[in-house]
Amino acid sequence: MTIQALKGFKDILPEEVGLWQHIEASARDILHRFGFAEIRVPILEKTELFARSIGEATDIVEKEMYSFADRNGDSVTMRPEGTASVLRAFIEHGLQTRLPVQRLYTIGPMFRHERPQKGRLRQFHQLSVEVLGLDHPRLDAELIAMAWLILEELGLTTSLQINSLGCPACRPAYKEALVNFLAARQDLICEDCRRRTVSNPLRVLDCKSSHCQEQYVDAPAILDHLCLGCADHFAQTRASLELLAVPYAVNPFMVRGLDYYTRTTFELLTDTLGAQSAVGAGGRYDGLVAQLGGAKGMPGIGFAMGLERLVLLLGQQNADACPETATDLFVAALGEEATVKAFPLVHLLRRKGLQVAMDLEGKSLKSQMKQADRAKARFALILGEEELAKGEAVLRDMTSKEQQALPLAGEPEALCAVLVTAIASTAQ
Ligand code: ATP
Ligand code: MG
């Protein structure tokens, strides 16, 4: 019996990898333009890290984490998101002492035990971006504009929603108003929401049930409860977004699925991936560094993009985004003697930077020409017995079918140089 991958765990096959690389390269390029540095953090962390940051009464911590006791009996968890690990590393290595404002990103797999669907996996990949050490609203706008630019340069159309979740000064009063509202509707909402009315009332607004959502249209809005500082911060974030001409809508009921957010939150949404509508999301988390044992009053903000959803969107909206890479040259050597001659030549050409393929077994001309077509080779270099006898090789332009004879005599370096020039002069 063959063994298959786990449910919700997916292979990314060679024909898809081009899209992934295109997305990653394009995002990295933009991140570097904005002064971000990459950080790579472990996949496995102490369970406590996520319980303390994401929050006990969230979907992720309650029912989605891959947690287990390792061989020493310690509870460990495969990271469900990137922020907690990056902040742990930031605190552990005292990164703020090197640079007052740290701009960090990481790309990699995350793990959540969810019901697998299109665009929702158990192992999925995120680009996770964090800025630590600054709470100015202009930064919120800059970061949102950067997320927007990443999608824009990929040629993707999405919509942007923003909100403010207030701070520990103003959120309690809002919570109270929300709990009163929910208390009057307990028999109309789902069991999860009833439970969370007590344990984590804001989270209720994030419920995926449309029935519950219908009840919440008249719920009190956090934006009506912001303290002066939070209201001003939100107004300045909006004004800065407008300066950068980033189009947004305010959604006062967006609460996000993690507890650590304060003030600005945002989501980048599409309506073409069903329930998997968020391609990216994030927000400010000014208390999180302190909550994890780091410096008090160290502000932070970040977002994460789901790469699977970006790949799906790119397939839908901009399938030609990623040009196929063609082989520069297929070296077709016929027979053992020619193959022995071609073998080091191919290695030399690859060392010079060309993308070169050859048939290591020296099969028939027909078979090798088929291979050259399949590899989408721009040129073929034919080294047959006849050519060998004449001391030359034939270079064929596979598009125009034009051919020219090249001398084989002398050092392979000489032929290599001729080939590099011939191929570079017709570079596409
Ligand atoms: P959703 O509401 O779709 O469950 P989320 O709020 O749980 O998303 P975040 O924790 O904010 O998602 O993660 C940021 C991004 O990561 C999401 O916007 C989405 O693009 C992606 N993402 C989250 N969970 C998954 C998953 N299980 N499979 C694929 N992508 C995911
Ligand atoms: Mg989720």
Side-chain angles (χ1 to χ4, degrees):
M1 209 170 63
T2 55
I3 298 174
Q4 292 179 345
L6 291 170
K7 195 172 155 201
F9 287 67
K10 202 171 149 278
D11 301 304
I12 300 164
L13 297 176
E15 62 263 28
E16 300 166 89
V17 161
L19 277 181
W20 284 78
Q21 290 177 342
H22 174 68
I23 291 170
E24 287 169 13
S26 171
R28 276 180 205 281
D29 182 56
I30 293 171
L31 284 154
H32 293 152
R33 279 183 247 162
F34 281 76
F36 282 81
E38 183 172 0
I39 180 168
R40 299 188 184 191
V41 288
I43 283 169
L44 207 59
E45 298 271 4
K46 289 182 183 165
T47 299
E48 192 196 346
L49 174 66
F50 304 111
R52 251 215 261 171
S53 55
I54 296 170
E56 297 277 2
T58 56
D59 276 350
I60 297 178
V61 174
E62 275 182 351
K63 50 189 185 197
E64 294 176 358
M65 290 209 302
Y66 278 87
S67 301
F68 55 93
D70 75 1
R71 289 180 184 275
N72 300 325
D74 299 323
S75 180
V76 293
T77 295
M78 293 170 74
R79 60 179 189 195
E81 57 112 42
T83 302
S85 309
V86 171
L87 264 56
R88 197 244 336 113
F90 169 83
I91 297 164
E92 189 169 332
H93 303 284
L95 295 187
Q96 76 275 14
T97 58
R98 300 186 198 172
L99 203 66
V101 180
Q102 285 279 336
R103 297 176 166 237
L104 303 167
Y105 75 91
T106 195
I107 298 180
M110 307 294 161
F111 302 84
R112 295 183 194 176
H113 196 277
E114 303 196 64
R115 195 166 65 79
Q117 296 160 67
K118 186 175 174 190
R120 188 175 298 283
L121 289 133
R122 291 181 172 175
Q123 174 176 335
F124 61 100
H125 298 77
Q126 279 184 345
L127 160 66
S128 184
V129 178
E130 325 293 340
V131 182
L132 295 152
L134 187 67
D135 64 1
H136 199 285
R138 215 170 271 140
L139 171 62
D140 303 40
E142 187 193 31
L143 200 70
I144 295 171
M146 183 180 77
W148 187 258
L149 185 64
I150 290 176
L151 298 171
E152 190 178 82
E153 287 202 5
L154 287 170
L156 300 179
T157 307
T158 55
S159 63
L160 168 66
Q161 293 190 352
I162 64 168
N163 192 21
S164 172
L165 291 185
C167 69
C170 53
R171 211 181 307 170
Y174 171 66
K175 246 187 204 171
E176 203 181 306
L178 185 62
V179 169
N180 290 338
F181 171 88
L182 294 170
R185 288 163 182 79
Q186 289 292 290
D187 42 355
L188 299 171
I189 59 182
C190 75
E191 199 194 315
D192 263 359
C193 285
R194 280 202 295 273
R195 198 166 40 80
R196 286 185 179 168
T197 301
V198 182
S199 64
N200 197 346
L202 257 69
R203 198 77 317 114
V204 164
L205 299 175
D206 201 32
C207 180
K208 294 265 193 288
S209 146
S210 55
H211 184 73
C212 289
Q213 285 302 333
E214 281 166 27
Q215 305 303 317
Y216 303 147
V217 287
D218 309 319
I222 178 105
L223 293 179
D224 298 329
H225 290 78
L226 296 181
C227 61
L228 280 180
C230 288
D232 182 53
H233 193 277
F234 192 53
Q236 286 197 55
T237 300
R238 293 182 57 170
S240 301
L241 276 175
E242 281 151 27
L243 278 179
L244 301 181
V246 177
Y248 67 85
V250 174
N251 174 0
F253 296 116
M254 184 215 302
V255 291
R256 309 286 307 113
L258 300 88
D259 275 355
Y260 52 58
Y261 287 115
T262 53
R263 295 192 162 174
T264 313
T265 52
F266 65 98
E267 288 189 346
L268 292 149
L269 301 162
T270 169
D271 50 16
T272 59
L273 293 178
Q276 283 55 256
S277 58
V279 294
R284 184 162 277 292
Y285 43 74
D286 290 342
L288 186 54
V289 172
Q291 205 172 308
L292 291 173
K296 293 224 164 53
M298 170 68 66
I301 181 169
F303 69 84
M305 282 187 176
L307 300 189
E308 277 76 7
R309 295 184 193 175
L310 289 185
V311 168
L312 286 170
L313 270 193
L314 206 58
Q316 286 176 357
Q317 296 187 5
N318 195 11
D320 308 327
C322 170
E324 278 188 43
T325 52
T327 302
D328 293 319
L329 177 70
F330 189 94
V331 176
L334 308 171
E336 185 61 15
E337 195 189 338
T339 306
V340 166
K341 213 168 174 67
F343 189 52
L345 175 69
V346 166
H347 189 58
L348 192 61
L349 288 163
R350 288 172 175 159
R351 288 178 65 181
K352 295 288 177 206
L354 290 188
Q355 198 182 335
V356 189
M358 80 172 282
D359 181 321
L360 295 174
E361 298 171 293
K363 289 203 188 111
S364 72
L365 182 63
K366 195 172 154 207
S367 154
Q368 294 203 41
M369 283 302 116
K370 228 187 244 171
Q371 293 177 49
D373 281 337
R374 221 180 287 140
K376 300 197 173 65
R378 291 164 47 217
F379 288 90
L381 184 74
I382 301 156
L383 267 148
E385 277 165 30
E386 220 173 277
E387 286 83 8
L388 219 53
K390 279 200 269 177
E392 53 183 47
V394 171
L395 182 65
R396 179 187 294 175
D397 183 321
M398 298 294 277
T399 325
S400 70
K401 305 290 176 210
E402 265 172 48
Q403 302 203 146
Q404 54 174 310
L406 302 176
L408 261 184
E411 292 297 308
E413 278 80 2
L415 177 57
C416 176
V418 175
L419 283 167
V420 170
T421 316
I423 291 168
S425 70
T426 59
Q428 288 164 329

Coordinates of all heavy atoms in Angstrom, one line a residue, residues 60 64 81 112 114 119-122 124-126 206 208 256-258 261 267 275-282 304-309, ligand 1:
I60 N -7.4 29.5 17.6 CA -6.1 28.9 17.4 C -5.6 28.1 18.6 O -5.3 26.9 18.5 CB -5.0 30.0 17.0 CG1 -5.4 30.7 15.7 CG2 -3.6 29.4 16.9 CD1 -4.4 31.8 15.3
E64 N -6.8 24.6 17.4 CA -6.1 24.4 16.2 C -4.6 24.1 16.3 O -4.0 23.8 15.3 CB -6.2 25.7 15.3 CG -7.7 26.0 14.9 CD -7.9 27.3 14.1 OE1 -6.9 28.1 13.9 OE2 -9.0 27.6 13.7
E81 N 1.6 30.6 13.8 CA 1.8 31.9 13.2 C 3.2 32.4 13.5 O 3.9 31.7 14.3 CB 0.7 32.9 13.8 CG 0.8 33.1 15.3 CD 1.3 34.4 15.7 OE1 0.9 35.4 15.2 OE2 2.0 34.5 16.7
R112 N -1.9 24.7 11.6 CA -3.2 24.8 12.3 C -4.1 23.7 12.0 O -4.2 23.4 10.8 CB -3.9 26.1 12.0 CG -3.1 27.4 12.4 CD -3.9 28.6 12.1 NE -3.0 29.8 12.2 CZ -3.4 31.1 11.9 NH1 -4.6 31.3 11.5 NH2 -2.5 32.1 12.0
E114 N -7.1 22.7 11.1 CA -8.4 23.2 10.7 C -9.0 22.3 9.7 O -8.4 21.3 9.3 CB -8.2 24.6 10.0 CG -7.5 25.6 10.8 CD -7.7 27.0 10.2 OE1 -8.8 27.5 10.1 OE2 -6.7 27.6 9.7
G119 N -7.6 26.8 -0.2 CA -7.0 28.0 0.5 C -7.0 27.9 2.0 O -6.8 28.9 2.7
R120 N -7.3 26.7 2.6 CA -7.2 26.5 4.0 C -6.6 25.1 4.3 O -7.2 24.1 4.0 CB -8.6 26.6 4.7 CG -8.6 26.6 6.2 CD -9.9 26.8 6.8 NE -10.6 28.1 6.5 CZ -10.2 29.3 7.0 NH1 -9.3 29.3 8.0 NH2 -10.8 30.4 6.7
L121 N -5.4 25.2 4.7 CA -4.6 23.9 4.9 C -4.2 23.8 6.4 O -4.4 24.7 7.2 CB -3.4 23.9 4.0 CG -3.8 23.8 2.6 CD1 -3.1 24.8 1.7 CD2 -3.5 22.4 2.1
R122 N -3.7 22.6 6.7 CA -3.2 22.4 8.1 C -1.7 22.8 8.1 O -1.2 23.4 9.1 CB -3.4 21.0 8.5 CG -4.9 20.7 8.7 CD -5.2 19.4 9.1 NE -6.6 19.3 9.4 CZ -7.3 18.2 9.7 NH1 -6.6 17.0 9.8 NH2 -8.5 18.2 10.0
F124 N 0.4 25.5 6.1 CA 0.3 26.6 5.1 C 1.5 27.5 5.3 O 2.2 27.3 6.2 CB -1.1 27.3 5.2 CG -1.3 28.0 6.6 CD1 -1.1 29.4 6.7 CD2 -1.7 27.3 7.7 CE1 -1.2 30.1 7.9 CE2 -1.8 28.0 8.9 CZ -1.6 29.4 9.0
H125 N 1.6 28.5 4.4 CA 2.8 29.3 4.5 C 2.4 30.8 4.6 O 1.5 31.2 4.0 CB 3.6 29.1 3.2 CG 4.1 27.6 3.1 ND1 3.3 26.6 2.7 CD2 5.3 27.1 3.4 CE1 3.9 25.5 2.7 NE2 5.2 25.7 3.2
Q126 N 3.2 31.5 5.4 CA 3.0 32.9 5.5 C 4.2 33.7 5.3 O 5.3 33.2 5.6 CB 2.5 33.2 7.0 CG 1.0 32.9 7.3 CD 0.7 33.3 8.7 OE1 1.5 33.5 9.5 NE2 -0.6 33.4 8.9
D206 N -16.0 37.8 15.6 CA -15.2 37.1 14.6 C -15.9 35.7 14.2 O -15.3 35.0 13.4 CB -13.8 36.8 15.2 CG -12.8 36.6 14.1 OD1 -12.9 37.2 13.0 OD2 -11.8 35.9 14.4
K208 N -17.6 32.7 12.5 CA -17.8 32.4 11.1 C -19.3 32.1 10.7 O -19.6 32.0 9.5 CB -16.9 31.2 10.7 CG -15.4 31.5 10.8 CD -14.8 31.9 9.5 CE -13.2 31.9 9.5 NZ -12.6 33.0 10.3
R256 N -10.3 40.5 14.4 CA -9.1 39.6 14.3 C -9.2 38.4 15.3 O -9.7 38.5 16.3 CB -7.8 40.3 14.4 CG -7.7 41.6 13.5 CD -7.5 41.3 12.1 NE -6.4 40.4 11.9 CZ -6.5 39.1 11.5 NH1 -7.6 38.6 11.2 NH2 -5.4 38.4 11.4
G257 N -8.5 37.3 14.9 CA -8.6 36.1 15.7 C -7.6 35.9 16.7 O -7.4 34.8 17.3
L258 N -6.8 36.9 17.0 CA -5.7 36.8 18.0 C -5.9 37.9 19.0 O -6.3 39.0 18.7 CB -4.3 36.9 17.3 CG -4.0 35.9 16.2 CD1 -4.5 36.3 14.9 CD2 -2.5 35.6 16.2
Y261 N -3.9 42.1 19.6 CA -4.0 43.3 18.9 C -4.5 44.5 19.7 O -5.3 44.4 20.6 CB -4.9 43.2 17.6 CG -4.2 42.4 16.6 CD1 -4.8 41.1 16.2 CD2 -3.1 42.8 15.9 CE1 -4.1 40.4 15.2 CE2 -2.5 42.1 15.0 CZ -3.0 40.8 14.6 OH -2.4 40.1 13.6
E267 N -7.3 44.1 7.3 CA -7.4 42.8 6.5 C -7.4 43.2 5.0 O -8.0 44.1 4.6 CB -8.7 42.0 6.8 CG -8.6 41.4 8.2 CD -9.8 40.4 8.5 OE1 -10.7 40.5 7.7 OE2 -9.6 39.7 9.5
A275 N -15.0 31.2 1.5 CA -14.8 31.6 2.9 C -13.4 32.0 3.3 O -13.1 32.5 4.3 CB -15.3 30.5 3.8
Q276 N -12.5 31.7 2.3 CA -11.1 32.0 2.6 C -10.8 33.4 2.1 O -9.9 33.6 1.2 CB -10.1 30.9 1.9 CG -10.1 29.6 2.7 CD -11.4 29.0 3.0 OE1 -11.9 29.0 4.1 NE2 -12.0 28.4 1.9
S277 N -11.5 34.4 2.5 CA -11.5 35.7 1.9 C -10.3 36.5 2.3 O -9.9 37.5 1.6 CB -12.8 36.4 2.2 OG -12.9 36.6 3.6
A278 N -9.6 36.2 3.4 CA -8.5 37.1 3.8 C -7.2 36.6 3.2 O -6.8 35.4 3.4 CB -8.4 37.1 5.3
V279 N -6.5 37.4 2.4 CA -5.2 37.0 1.9 C -4.1 37.5 2.8 O -3.0 37.0 2.7 CB -5.0 37.5 0.4 CG1 -5.9 36.8 -0.5 CG2 -5.1 39.0 0.3
G280 N -4.4 38.5 3.6 CA -3.5 39.0 4.5 C -4.2 39.8 5.6 O -5.3 40.3 5.4
A281 N -3.5 39.9 6.8 CA -4.2 40.5 7.9 C -3.1 40.9 8.9 O -2.1 40.2 9.0 CB -5.2 39.6 8.5
G282 N -3.4 41.9 9.7 CA -2.5 42.3 10.7 C -2.9 43.4 11.6 O -4.1 43.8 11.6
A304 N 0.5 39.4 8.3 CA 0.9 38.1 7.7 C 0.1 37.9 6.4 O -1.1 38.3 6.4 CB 0.7 36.9 8.6
M305 N 0.7 37.4 5.4 CA 0.0 37.1 4.2 C 0.0 35.6 4.0 O 1.1 35.0 4.2 CB 0.6 37.8 3.0 CG 0.3 39.2 2.9 SD 1.0 39.9 1.3 CE 0.3 41.5 1.4
G306 N -1.1 35.0 3.5 CA -1.1 33.6 3.3 C -0.7 33.3 1.9 O -1.3 33.7 0.9
L307 N 0.4 32.6 1.7 CA 1.0 32.4 0.4 C 0.1 31.5 -0.5 O 0.0 31.7 -1.7 CB 2.4 31.9 0.5 CG 3.4 32.8 1.2 CD1 4.8 32.2 1.1 CD2 3.4 34.2 0.7
E308 N -0.5 30.4 0.1 CA -1.4 29.6 -0.7 C -2.5 30.4 -1.3 O -2.8 30.2 -2.5 CB -2.1 28.5 0.2 CG -1.2 27.3 0.5 CD -0.2 27.5 1.5 OE1 -0.1 28.6 2.1 OE2 0.7 26.6 1.8
R309 N -3.1 31.3 -0.6 CA -4.2 32.2 -1.1 C -3.6 33.1 -2.2 O -4.3 33.4 -3.2 CB -4.9 32.9 0.0 CG -5.6 31.9 0.9 CD -6.4 32.6 2.0 NE -6.8 31.5 3.0 CZ -7.4 31.8 4.1 NH1 -7.8 33.0 4.4 NH2 -7.7 30.8 5.0
Ligands
ATP1 P1 -9.1 33.0 8.5 O1 -10.1 34.0 8.9 O2 -9.2 32.7 7.0 O3 -9.1 31.7 9.3 P2 -7.1 34.1 10.1 O4 -7.7 35.3 10.6 O5 -7.1 32.8 11.0 O6 -7.7 33.7 8.7 P3 -4.4 35.0 10.4 O7 -4.1 34.3 11.6 O8 -4.6 36.5 10.4 O9 -5.6 34.3 9.6 O10 -3.3 34.7 9.3 C1 -2.9 35.6 8.2 C2 -3.2 35.0 6.9 O11 -2.7 33.7 6.8 C3 -4.7 34.9 6.5 O12 -5.1 36.1 6.0 C4 -4.6 33.8 5.5 O13 -4.3 34.4 4.2 C5 -3.5 32.9 5.9 N1 -4.1 31.8 6.6 C6 -4.5 31.6 7.9 N2 -4.9 30.4 8.1 C7 -4.7 29.7 7.0 C8 -4.8 28.3 6.7 N3 -5.3 27.4 7.5 N4 -4.5 27.9 5.4 C9 -4.0 28.8 4.5 N5 -3.8 30.1 4.8 C10 -4.1 30.5 6.0

